[in-house]
Amino acid sequence: VLHELRPETIEFVPFSEEVRRLRDAYLEFGVLPASAGADAEHVASATVGESDLLVSWNFKHIVHFDKIAAFQAVNVLKGYKAVSIYSPREVVET
């Protein structure tokens, strides 16, 4: 599916100090365990990059009702907007 996207619709969010701070906040607040730092970084990058939505198959650490609410809470606490998190099945027409 990614190969079918037009290049002008893709935006890369580089790793930055801002992404690191938000990732670390997710870990410090216990949204995810330290071993899931890459997953926390994924959500932090989407948030900092002001993505319209984050689509993931990661049901353990990202697309999970309790986790989504916790990511949203930390985002609001840290002054960011809530990022919309969905599974691919929720956003792809069949």
Side-chain angles (χ1 to χ4, degrees):
V1 172
L2 291 176
H3 297 292
E4 295 174 12
L5 295 174
R6 295 185 321 271
E8 65 272 13
T9 66
I10 300 172
E11 180 180 346
F12 292 95
V13 178
F15 184 77
S16 66
E17 183 62 23
E18 185 177 11
V19 170
R20 185 200 60 74
R21 281 194 306 269
L22 187 55
R23 175 203 64 198
D24 291 351
Y26 296 145
L27 301 177
E28 289 167 12
F29 280 93
V31 177
L32 295 178
S35 61
D39 296 329
E41 188 174 308
H42 186 177
V43 178
S45 294
T47 299
V48 169
E50 298 181 350
S51 297
D52 294 326
L53 56 101
L54 187 156
V55 179
S56 175
W57 283 112
N58 186 332
F59 296 108
K60 182 175 182 181
H61 292 136
I62 298 177
V63 188
H64 185 282
F65 181 78
D66 294 334
K67 301 296 183 188
I68 293 170
F71 285 126
Q72 309 305 22
V74 173
N75 283 358
V76 170
L77 184 67
K78 295 296 183 178
Y80 293 95
K81 71 173 190 154
V83 63
S84 298
I85 299 174
Y86 297 98
S87 76
R89 290 184 180 149
E90 295 174 296
V91 298
V92 175
E93 292 183 29
T94 56

